[in-house]
Amino acid sequence: MDNSEHTLAWVFGLRTPDGSDKRLDAVVVSQVTKAVLAAATAAGPVAAAGAAAAVARAVSCVADALESRLSEILVTAWNQRKEIAKYADIAKYPPGKKQYVQLYQHPVKWTYSPFLEITVRGIVFTVKLEIILKLTIDQAV
């Protein structure tokens, strides 16, 4: 896999070994399970009793979120930097002409806050998730 294909699961070291049929390692599955069961328990005994069935779907949603590619996150962050944003002015910088911008040491922060609404026997409860990526890039062109 080249660097452009690295996902958040790879960055955080959450991948299972090659050949495994599971998408995430046991630690992540355990954490998601605890979060679902805690949210269900807070919603009441009826939700808690049936929440185990929702765990597999919750794990799948987390795995999907962690499939975000690092390259896409970095490009999105870089496109918001003023050093690069000025090149969107096509009057000053016509399309088709390459522009090179060197960014020296700079922080990149990306936050993703999905949530799951789970219904168990008519009781709806929410599991909030948050993925935070903070990087300091030495330099990029």
Side-chain angles (χ1 to χ4, degrees), residues 83-84 86-87 99-103 140-141:
E83 299 95 326
I84 294 175
K86 70 180 185 180
Y87 292 98
Q99 303 289 336
Y100 294 94
V101 179
Q102 186 155 9
L103 298 175
V141 177

Side-chain angles (χ1 to χ4, degrees), residues 21-41:
D21 62 341
K22 302 209 182 299
R23 294 171 62 195
L24 296 174
D25 72 9
V27 173
V28 176
V29 172
S30 174
Q31 290 173 340
V32 172
T33 300
K34 287 177 185 175
V36 170
L37 295 177
T41 299

Side-chain angles (χ1 to χ4, degrees), residues 77-123:
W78 287 330
N79 284 340
Q80 295 172 0
R81 294 192 59 90
K82 64 182 176 188
E83 299 95 326
I84 294 175
K86 70 180 185 180
Y87 292 98
D89 182 347
I90 60 173
K92 290 182 181 178
Y93 305 98
K97 184 177 179 193
K98 290 184 179 181
Q99 303 289 336
Y100 294 94
V101 179
Q102 186 155 9
L103 298 175
Y104 293 96
Q105 190 175 59
H106 60 282
V108 173
K109 181 179 179 187
W110 181 80
T111 303
Y112 182 58
S113 302
F115 65 92
L116 304 169
E117 283 189 349
I118 300 172
T119 304
V120 177
R121 298 182 187 157
I123 304 294

Side-chain angles (χ1 to χ4, degrees), residues 8 12 70 72-81 105-113 130-137:
L8 291 179
F12 292 131
L70 182 59
E72 291 173 3
I73 292 167
L74 292 174
V75 166
T76 300
W78 287 330
N79 284 340
Q80 295 172 0
R81 294 192 59 90
Q105 190 175 59
H106 60 282
V108 173
K109 181 179 179 187
W110 181 80
T111 303
Y112 182 58
S113 302
E130 188 170 57
I131 300 169
I132 299 172
L133 177 68
K134 292 180 184 180
L135 300 170
T136 299
I137 305 297

